[in-house]
């Protein structure tokens, strides 16, 4: 997630901007830059890489940047690879601008502006926004009016900080669906994406409301509504220390990232739905007839990403009736998989740098098979080397245990399944649109409802702290969910657990069930509910202690013979896996946290596994 800082005051802005950017480093970034407005107008310095590299560039003899007013940015790439030219701030004739968010209609904006004589140097949506505001400014001559007019045209999410050559000492800011705060310190005033960036200067801040432009000057901040009338914003106070502030007030990154799932899904899905409300990938092989040529699909990944592949297999086979194999990337090339010319290999990876996944991709390419990657980190190796890439827009995931990245991988695989099923005539256009609509609008709400069960889930988790072994059981797609629920619990709680297809237990493993053995039963499929209930009875009659995680519909229509039930709010069974996922992720989180483990950095694990 990009980070924004802006400072205007009595002092040189550069140290304030660099200090603010450093305090936002936890958000993850691949490039950084600042712009300052001095005697000779606006100067920018930006670079791919870390803030140290930016500072080195600023201190080099070839570069001179100064001014009492400036804006800074750390970029987490969403449009265009990490590079100097794609870094922010972006320059237009009369202004420099920083942006956090996604501008969905940037293509349209570009076309309109090209007709007006504008050229573009970067691949970013942000440069289009900068030049649109510039265009409005030339017409209206007033920064606030220009920002309002441009944001009427822009669709998507944005937090914008803008400085104009003609208005030295002033920063203008606006936001929609991306965070931005405004603050007044003793040496000057600030804008920032998040509280840590201003904590060294003040603990009081305004959370900028949507539809309001903030004008930040060296000794005052003011706010204007759409009619350019002054408006008030509520002053807030924070008691956090810097570390807590970086986690948004949550005790760990993992629980913060679980709470970010609704937003991550909204961003990812909305970036891949066309104006006709159908999936749109911007890739010829996937959007047109091309996608229907694939006869076999292989999903290849590691760990949590591979488990997202299991969900994808279920949904693709169910909606599109195309066979899907799911492979562990470290095994893929060694089993010499049978790959045909009409096959598609999908690589899933949060980091895009997992060595086994990269090797599997290269193996598939060496066999001449079309490769599609679903990756969270823009410009990563898997993204660069695959024939086409769909980015998940989860923002940086800092906790080693993957949570929001899994949910958005599943969301993109659902979209892929809808597109494939529609192209193959397995579902009608109306059905495809309705499914897209549910994915975009209902799924985030199901997750939000599950997040509200936090106390209940924590209390359930508190009963599992002293066990050494645990089983997750489910059938159909629920058995795929169990694999991820089990991994999540294992990696951060250090409790051994196994995921089992409920019907398979009786073929051997049930001998491990004895008095008090904990079993968690995941039940989202009503067509399999009775079979699951039989499975629960089988383990209960051997003494198991059962916790069921299920949907309202199943809980209301069946008597589940478990000691405890957690019911997630979800009215559409097809999408219930998202709500259940959030539930078992929180369960694992609370078990780990209550055991006093280092939740975000579990022992022996690394975030990105770049060795075979
Ligand atoms: O970056 P990737 O998605 O390729 O990483 C794959 C796995 O290493 C990763 O999902 C791992 O299993 C996580 N620790 C799970 O939480």
């Amino acid at each position: 997630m990009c980070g924004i800082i802006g400072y205007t005051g009595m002092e040189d802005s550069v140290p304030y901007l660099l200090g603010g950017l450093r305090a936002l480093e936890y958000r993850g970034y691949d490039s950084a830059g600042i712009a300052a407005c001095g005697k000779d107008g606006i100067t920018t310095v930006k670079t791919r890489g870390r803030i140290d590299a930016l500072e080195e560039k600023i201190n080099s003899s070839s570069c001179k940047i100064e001014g009492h007013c400036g804006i800074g940015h750390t970029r987490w790439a969403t449009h265009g690879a990490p590079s100097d030219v794609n870094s922010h701030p972006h320059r237009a004739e009369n202004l420099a601008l920083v942006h956090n968010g996604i501008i969905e209609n940037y293509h349209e904006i570009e076309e309109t502006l090209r007709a007006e004589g504008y050229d573009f140097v970067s691949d970013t949506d942000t440069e289009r926004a900068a030049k649109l505001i510039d265009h409005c400014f030339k017409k209206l001559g007033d920064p606030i009016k220009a920002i309002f007019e441009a944001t009427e045209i822009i669709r998507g999410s944005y937090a914008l900080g803008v400085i104009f050559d003609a208005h030295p000492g002033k920063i203008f800011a606006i936001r929609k669906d991306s965070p931005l705060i405004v603050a007044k310190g003793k040496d000057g005033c600030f804008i920032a994406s998040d509280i840590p960036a201003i904590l060294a200067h003040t603990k009081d801040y305004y959370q900028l409301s949507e539809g309001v432009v903030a004008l930040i000057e060296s000794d005052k901040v003011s706010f204007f509504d759409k009619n350019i009338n002054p408006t008030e914003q509520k002053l807030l106070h924070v008691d956090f220390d810097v570390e807590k502030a970086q986690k948004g007030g949550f005790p760990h990154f993992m629980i913060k990232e679980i709470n970010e799932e609704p937003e991550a899904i909204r961003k990812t899905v909305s970036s891949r739905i066309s104006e006709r409300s159908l999936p749109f990938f911007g890739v010829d092989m996937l959007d047109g007839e091309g996608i229907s040529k694939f006869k076999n699909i292989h999903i290849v990944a590691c760990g949590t990403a591979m488990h997202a592949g299991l969900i994808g297999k279920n949904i693709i086979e169910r909606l599109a009736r195309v066979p899907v194999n799911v492979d562990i990337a470290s095994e893929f090339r060694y089993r010499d998989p049978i790959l045909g010319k009409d096959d598609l290999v999908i690589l899933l990876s949060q980091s895009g740098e997992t060595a086994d996944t990269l090797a599997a991709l290269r193996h598939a390419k060496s066999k001449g098979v079309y490769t599609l990657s679903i990756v969270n980190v823009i410009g990563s190796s898997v993204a660069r080397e695959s024939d086409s890439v769909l980015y998940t827009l989860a923002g940086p995931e800092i906790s080693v245990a993957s949570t929001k990245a899994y949910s958005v991988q599943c969301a993109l695989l659902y979209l892929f399944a809808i597109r494939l099923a529609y192209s193959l005539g397995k579902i009608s256009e109306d059905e495809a649109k309705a499914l897209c609509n549910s994915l975009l609008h209902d799924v985030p709400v199901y997750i939000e409802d599950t997040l509200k069960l936090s106390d209940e889930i924590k209390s359930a988790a508190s009963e599992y702290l002293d066990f050494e072994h645990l089983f997750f059981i489910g059938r159909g797609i629920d058995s795929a969910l169990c694999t991820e629920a089990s991994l999540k619990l294992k990696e951060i709680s250090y409790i051994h657990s196994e995921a089992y297809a409920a019907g398979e237990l009786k073929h051997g493993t049930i001998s491990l069930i004895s008095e008090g053995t904990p079993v968690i039963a995941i039940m989202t499929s009503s067509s399999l509910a009775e079979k699951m209930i039989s499975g629960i009875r089988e383990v209960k009659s051997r003494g198991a202690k059962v916790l069921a995680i299920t949907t309202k519909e199943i809980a209301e229509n069946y008597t589940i013979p478990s000691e405890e039930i957690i019911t997630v709010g979800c009215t559409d069974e097809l999408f219930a896996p998202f709500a259940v996922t959030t539930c078992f992720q929180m369960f694992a989180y609370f078990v780990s946290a209550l055991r006093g483990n280092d939740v975000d950095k579990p022992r022996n694990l690394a975030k990105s596994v770049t060795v075979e």
Side-chain angles (χ1 to χ4, degrees):
M1 264 174 297
C2 301
I4 289 177
I5 178 76
Y7 166 81
T8 177
M10 306 309 291
E11 309 295 329
D12 178 17
S13 63
V14 174
Y16 284 83
L17 299 177
L18 289 173
L21 291 182
R22 284 198 194 283
L24 294 172
E25 275 191 300
Y26 71 94
R27 294 167 73 88
Y29 67 103
D30 45 58
S31 35
I34 59 171
C37 193
K39 288 189 297 293
D40 305 323
I42 297 173
T43 318
T44 59
V45 183
K46 45 196 203 167
T47 184
R48 178 185 176 161
R50 315 297 294 171
I51 293 166
D52 284 346
L54 176 68
E55 196 163 4
E56 226 169 84
K57 204 165 174 180
I58 289 169
N59 293 333
S60 69
S61 52
S62 59
C63 176
K64 194 162 161 28
I65 181 162
E66 58 172 19
H68 294 274
C69 172
I71 49 179
H73 189 266
T74 45
R75 175 171 186 251
W76 167 264
T78 58
H79 291 70
S83 67
D84 289 5
V85 75
N86 285 336
S87 309
H88 301 210
H90 283 280
R91 201 63 177 103
E93 198 183 323
N94 295 289
L95 59 88
L97 172 149
V98 285
H99 166 224
N100 173 18
I102 307 252
I103 291 167
E104 288 158 17
N105 58 336
Y106 74 100
H107 272 309
E108 284 162 46
I109 294 172
E110 174 176 335
E111 273 168 30
T112 315
L113 292 175
R114 279 196 189 280
E116 299 285 341
Y118 279 86
D119 276 333
F120 298 89
V121 292
S122 77
D123 306 318
T124 62
D125 53 341
T126 304
E127 189 191 359
R128 279 72 188 159
K131 291 188 171 163
L132 179 63
I133 296 176
D134 183 72
H135 178 57
C136 297
F137 179 70
K138 281 185 192 155
K139 198 169 66 180
L140 301 166
D142 176 76
I144 298 181
K145 286 184 185 159
I147 289 170
F148 274 129
E149 177 150 318
T151 49
E152 282 290 308
I153 298 167
I154 289 172
R155 273 203 322 273
S157 57
Y158 50 81
L160 300 173
V162 198
I163 54 175
F164 291 79
D165 294 85
H167 294 268
K170 293 180 181 173
I171 304 171
F172 301 85
I174 190 165
R175 75 171 197 99
K176 178 177 169 283
D177 293 337
S178 288
L180 199 73
I181 60 169
V182 175
K184 194 165 172 289
K186 38 183 193 322
D187 307 325
C189 296
F190 299 85
I191 58 165
S193 298
D194 204 352
I195 295 162
I198 55 143
L199 271 186
H201 312 287
T202 177
K203 290 195 166 188
D204 297 322
Y205 68 99
Y206 302 94
Q207 181 77 58
L208 186 61
S209 301
E210 298 197 357
V212 169
V213 166
L215 165 59
I216 296 93
E217 296 172 270
S218 64
D219 56 352
K220 63 171 194 249
V221 297
S222 18
F223 304 97
F224 299 89
D225 66 16
K226 278 210 164 83
N227 302 317
I228 328 287
N229 290 322
T231 179
E232 297 286 311
Q233 297 281 281
K234 194 169 166 213
L235 191 63
L236 303 166
H237 180 78
V238 65
D239 282 325
F240 296 164
D241 59 15
V242 172
E243 202 203 326
K244 197 159 179 210
Q246 289 183 337
K247 292 175 185 151
F250 290 100
H252 300 98
F253 281 110
M254 180 178 175
I255 190 70
K256 173 175 182 269
E257 287 160 6
I258 294 172
N259 276 269
E260 286 167 354
E261 283 172 5
E263 191 198 345
I265 290 194
R266 283 190 185 103
K267 272 191 177 170
T268 303
V269 175
S270 67
S271 74
R272 293 295 173 192
I273 292 188
S274 71
E275 290 186 351
R276 286 174 58 213
S277 307
L278 288 168
F280 178 75
F281 299 123
V283 174
D284 286 348
M285 286 296 280
L286 304 181
D287 291 320
E289 287 307 298
I291 194 169
S292 39
K293 110 174 190 351
F294 297 121
K295 299 286 178 281
N296 289 294
I297 297 172
H298 308 262
I299 300 180
V300 190
C302 299
T304 288
M306 189 274 288
H307 295 155
L310 296 174
I311 300 294
K313 171 184 168 71
N314 269 274
I315 296 300
I316 295 168
E317 291 186 342
R318 175 164 169 184
L319 294 181
R321 309 300 302 151
V322 172
V324 181
N325 294 318
V326 178
D327 269 273
I328 295 170
S330 55
E331 292 293 320
F332 185 65
R333 68 202 143 128
Y334 299 116
R335 75 171 179 82
D336 194 10
I338 301 163
L339 298 170
K341 66 174 173 30
D342 292 331
D343 289 6
L344 168 68
V345 173
I346 301 179
L347 295 307
L348 299 179
S349 178
Q350 186 284 130
S351 62
E353 299 296 347
T354 301
D356 288 319
T357 309
L358 191 56
L361 161 67
R362 290 176 181 158
H363 180 79
K365 288 193 80 175
S366 73
K367 301 285 173 195
V369 182
Y370 191 81
T371 55
L372 163 70
S373 62
I374 295 183
V375 175
N376 196 42
V377 178
I378 308 265
S380 55
S381 305
V382 172
R384 283 198 315 271
E385 293 191 27
S386 50
D387 293 307
S388 53
V389 54
L390 300 178
Y391 286 114
T392 48
L393 304 180
E397 198 179 57
I398 293 166
S399 172
V400 165
S402 188
T403 54
K404 59 178 178 171
Y406 170 83
S407 297
V408 290
Q409 283 163 352
C410 293
L412 270 190
L413 288 167
Y414 267 68
L415 262 192
F416 177 88
I418 297 167
R419 174 78 234 184
L420 185 59
Y422 170 55
S423 294
L424 290 170
K426 295 285 180 347
I427 56 174
S428 68
E429 183 168 329
D430 283 349
E431 283 168 323
K433 285 180 176 170
L435 291 171
C436 287
N437 192 50
S438 298
L439 199 53
L440 178 58
H441 299 294
D442 300 340
V443 166
V445 176
Y446 298 154
I447 297 175
E448 279 157 2
D449 287 347
T450 306
L451 290 169
K452 290 181 195 146
L453 302 177
S454 178
D455 288 345
E456 190 183 335
I457 297 169
K458 184 175 180 182
S459 143
S462 69
E463 291 183 30
Y464 289 79
L465 307 186
D466 298 325
F467 287 106
E468 283 181 18
H469 308 279
L470 188 150
F471 287 87
F472 285 92
I473 57 170
R475 299 192 78 133
I477 197 164
D478 297 333
S479 92
L481 287 169
C482 286
T483 59
E484 177 55 11
S486 172
L487 174 62
K488 214 74 311 164
L489 185 71
K490 273 185 279 212
E491 68 177 326
I492 58 170
S493 75
Y494 316 140
I495 294 173
H496 166 244
S497 84
E498 288 202 36
Y500 245 82
E504 181 65 10
L505 269 184
K506 57 184 173 294
H507 297 287
T509 307
I510 202 162
S511 65
L512 291 173
I513 306 286
S514 61
E515 198 54 42
T517 306
V519 174
I520 298 184
I522 294 184
M523 302 171 66
T524 67
S525 315
S526 40
S527 61
L528 292 168
E530 283 177 352
K531 304 255 176 247
M532 270 303 290
I533 288 168
S534 307
I536 293 174
R537 287 218 173 87
E538 280 166 19
V539 292
K540 272 205 72 70
S541 60
R542 276 134 188 112
K545 164 187 160 73
V546 180
L547 163 66
I549 301 178
T550 191
T551 60
K552 247 187 211 132
E553 197 194 330
I554 293 180
E556 279 167 13
N557 291 310
Y558 298 88
T559 306
I560 304 173
S562 59
E563 273 78 11
E564 208 174 337
I565 302 180
I566 298 178
T567 310
V568 297
C570 169
T571 48
D572 186 341
E573 188 172 307
L574 186 71
F575 297 101
F578 290 96
V580 164
T581 293
T582 306
C583 179
F584 67 64
Q585 290 171 343
M586 286 204 284
F587 179 85
Y589 167 75
F590 284 124
V591 172
S592 173
L594 291 170
R595 280 170 68 115
N597 293 353
D598 188 351
V599 178
D600 290 329
K601 293 195 187 94
R603 67 187 181 206
N604 306 337
L605 294 178
K607 183 67 186 160
S608 179
V609 186
T610 53
V611 291
E612 192 187 339

